[in-house]
Amino acid sequence: MKLLTSVVLLFSASIVCRAEFQKYDNYKLYTLYVEDDEQAEELHDWYADGRLDFWSYGTLNESVTVMINPEMQTIFETMLDEVQLESELVEENVQSLLDHEQEQRKLHVLSKRRRQQKVPQKPTNTESVDEDAIDFEHFWTLDEIYRYMERMEKTFPNLVRVMTIGQTYENRSILAISISRDGRINQTRPVVLVDAGIHAREWASHMSAMYLIHQLVENAEKNEDLLYYADWIIVPVANPDGYVYSYETDRLWRKNRYGDNVLCPGTDINRNFPFRWSYTSHSCTDGFAGKTPGSENETQALMLLMAQFSRSIKMYLSLHSCGDYILYPYGYAYQPTSNSEDLYALGLKAAEAVQKAGGPEYLVGQASGLLYLATGSDDFIYGAYGVEYAYTLELSCGSRGFGFIIETNQIETIAAETFEMFKVFGMHAGSQKITKRP
């Protein structure tokens, strides 16, 4: 009996430990100013080995934000001296940023409860509970996102369909929403495919996708030009397991939650696509590409969605955060695409639209040239399905520039700026022709 009691207590303790938030006490944030290829290569090696974490990206002569584990602090400072990297300490204790964000979330929940208490008592239903989800002053939970999508389908049946495109390792549904004035995608008009949240901790991407859905559905009349010539398919949470984990346990979690490796679970979905896939041996790193190409449920779900509508997809946009970049293929090599000039020109139009709306200056260019060599979902859809306009949008870092940790008053600002890019890309997609089947 004593042995059984001990086992139960240990099991209970392990559950409590897992339920607690991952702490980042004394982790530091630095801004680094990269001036040459040697410095850039050194930083990439550190990232590949899991010794530092990029919170934002930058090209040569641009700044990058990185997080350093306190155990690596001395070695990191030595490296900075050896390669003569100019640095600036911007945050002494990352945990203080996470605590502040957590406090903002608690305040939102309290405010929501107070508002509900003021409402006269009546039978609870989905409609009344979900109304508070229509704000861009907090980061929505996965349940809030999914309930909103379902409500849009129920309220606007002639415009919206919600599709389950796959199931995750933890058995969560991966949902996509289609928006078409025909009620469903019949592939008679060009399609804009948008996904967000491939990387779990990049919450600004999820919210920008939800803002897009809100504008196209609830403000459809105002944005009818975006729906007249094109249809939209949006996957606002491409990595549901990772998103829930980042929300409930580890705010800085990036990968999915595939549990093949108990000590170091998860795969970077964006590195798992089979086009020019490259094996990464270190499963404990954030950029682990998986054991085999296309191995992950989330990757397969997106690939099947791409395959189903490949004939009509004329624009693909993958939302990430952060860095103020509009990137296009290829990322896996310096080799330019055949239509690189067109990709660049259209990217510039989108960047100009953001600036006209008072937003930041976005840099436009080939992913391998602006960042580092790595394949991703845009390389895949361009290379495998011939979607000629494919972009990764690294959204704004917000006014503080702390990467993933964005003040709640910046959520709608970033989402609205991103919507200005959506307008440019959506209108261009609507001008493309769909090749008829032979």
Side-chain angles (χ1 to χ4, degrees):
M1 178 62 73
K2 286 183 178 180
L3 177 60
L4 178 59
T5 302
S6 298
V7 170
V8 171
L9 287 173
L10 284 171
F11 180 70
S12 300
S14 69
I15 291 176
V16 171
C17 289
R18 283 200 300 270
E20 292 178 353
F21 279 96
Q22 173 68 40
K23 296 291 187 179
Y24 288 88
D25 292 308
N26 300 317
Y27 281 69
K28 291 180 171 55
L29 275 186
Y30 283 86
T31 295
L32 307 179
Y33 300 90
V34 185
E35 297 178 342
D36 57 46
D37 291 332
E38 179 187 357
Q39 294 172 341
E41 186 175 347
E42 182 71 21
L43 288 179
H44 185 62
D45 288 344
W46 271 61
Y47 171 74
D49 292 340
R51 291 182 290 171
L52 63 71
D53 185 9
F54 280 102
W55 277 34
S56 71
Y57 302 98
T59 62
L60 293 182
N61 300 313
E62 293 285 341
S63 65
V64 299
T65 304
V66 300
M67 181 178 73
I68 298 298
N69 185 319
E71 295 178 0
M72 301 300 301
Q73 183 66 33
T74 302
I75 304 173
F76 175 70
E77 290 175 357
T78 300
M79 181 272 289
L80 294 179
D81 289 337
E82 288 178 350
V83 299
Q84 297 182 322
L85 249 170
E86 184 182 348
S87 66
E88 178 185 354
L89 179 63
V90 294
E91 178 54 52
E92 288 266 4
N93 183 14
V94 168
Q95 187 59 42
S96 66
L97 298 177
L98 305 184
D99 290 342
H100 174 70
E101 184 183 69
Q102 182 69 6
E103 187 61 30
Q104 294 299 308
R105 287 160 59 183
K106 289 179 181 177
L107 288 173
H108 172 77
V109 172
L110 288 173
S111 174
K112 182 177 178 179
R113 286 175 181 167
R114 291 193 190 103
R115 288 197 299 270
Q116 289 176 342
Q117 289 172 357
K118 291 179 181 179
V119 176
Q121 293 297 316
K122 57 182 178 181
T124 301
N125 58 63
T126 303
E127 295 295 324
S128 61
V129 171
D130 285 353
E131 284 303 320
D132 279 348
I134 311 303
D135 76 71
F136 293 90
E137 299 172 355
H138 79 289
F139 291 103
W140 299 6
T141 65
L142 181 69
D143 287 343
E144 284 179 309
I145 290 171
Y146 279 6
R147 286 200 301 265
Y148 179 73
M149 293 169 68
E150 291 163 359
R151 187 166 73 249
M152 291 303 96
E153 181 182 45
K154 180 180 178 180
T155 308
F156 302 93
N158 296 323
L159 185 65
V160 171
R161 292 286 186 278
V162 175
M163 305 175 282
T164 299
I165 63 172
Q167 296 292 127
T168 67
Y169 174 76
E170 295 179 345
N171 203 33
R172 292 185 177 88
S173 296
I174 306 170
L175 299 187
I177 188 169
S178 69
I179 305 170
S180 170
R181 59 193 181 91
D182 290 337
R184 64 179 66 249
I185 307 294
N186 54 27
Q187 306 208 58
T188 60
R189 278 191 297 277
V191 167
V192 182
L193 174 60
V194 179
D195 65 48
I198 281 180
H199 293 146
R201 61 191 180 182
E202 298 173 6
W203 293 2
S205 69
H206 304 88
M207 295 306 297
S208 292
M210 296 311 297
Y211 188 87
L212 170 63
I213 294 170
H214 176 63
Q215 292 296 328
L216 291 178
V217 177
E218 298 197 84
N219 291 327
E221 291 185 5
K222 182 179 177 181
N223 296 298
E224 61 181 352
D225 53 340
L226 295 178
L227 293 167
Y228 192 80
Y229 293 109
D231 294 334
W232 297 72
I233 301 174
I234 304 162
V235 185
V237 188
N239 180 6
D241 289 352
Y243 185 52
V244 170
Y245 192 74
S246 73
Y247 215 103
E248 297 179 352
T249 305
D250 184 350
R251 175 62 181 88
L252 302 181
W253 188 260
R254 169 184 167 103
K255 301 184 284 185
N256 71 358
R257 292 296 298 166
Y258 178 62
D260 182 46
N261 185 329
V262 177
L263 293 177
C264 297
T267 295
D268 182 342
I269 299 168
N270 206 37
R271 303 287 173 259
N272 189 239
F273 286 89
F275 184 79
R276 305 296 183 181
W277 178 83
S278 178
Y279 178 69
T280 332
S281 60
H282 197 342
S283 60
C284 292
T285 62
D286 280 340
F288 179 55
K291 291 185 176 179
T292 57
S295 60
E296 304 308 296
N297 291 0
E298 297 86 355
T299 316
Q300 294 167 15
L302 289 173
M303 288 167 58
L304 287 171
L305 184 66
M306 293 171 181
Q308 181 180 355
F309 297 100
S310 60
R311 185 172 64 90
S312 55
I313 295 172
K314 295 302 176 182
M315 182 68 61
Y316 171 70
L317 304 169
S318 187
L319 306 186
H320 291 253
S321 175
C322 69
D324 301 338
Y325 288 106
I326 299 172
L327 307 170
Y328 52 81
Y330 290 113
Y332 81 92
Y334 295 114
Q335 168 193 346
T337 63
S338 60
N339 67 330
S340 59
E341 291 184 2
D342 292 337
L343 285 165
Y344 179 71
L346 183 61
L348 279 183
K349 287 184 180 179
E352 290 168 359
V354 174
Q355 279 198 287
K356 286 180 181 177
E361 179 182 358
Y362 274 73
L363 292 179
V364 182
Q366 185 173 331
S368 57
L370 282 184
L371 297 187
Y372 51 85
L373 291 177
T375 188
S377 60
D378 56 352
D379 274 14
F380 174 79
I381 199 169
Y382 185 96
Y385 292 119
V387 175
E388 293 184 347
Y389 288 91
Y391 294 89
T392 290
L393 307 182
E394 290 282 357
L395 306 183
S396 171
C397 298
S399 58
R400 292 194 305 169
F402 284 152
F404 320 114
I405 311 303
I406 293 168
E407 290 281 6
T408 53
N409 64 9
Q410 291 287 293
I411 295 173
E412 187 165 6
T413 299
I414 293 171
E417 292 168 359
T418 307
F419 187 63
E420 294 303 314
M421 291 193 280
F422 285 136
K423 290 178 184 178
V424 173
F425 290 127
M427 292 300 291
H428 183 81
S431 70
Q432 303 301 294
K433 302 295 183 184
I434 296 177
T435 304
K436 294 182 179 179
R437 287 179 177 148

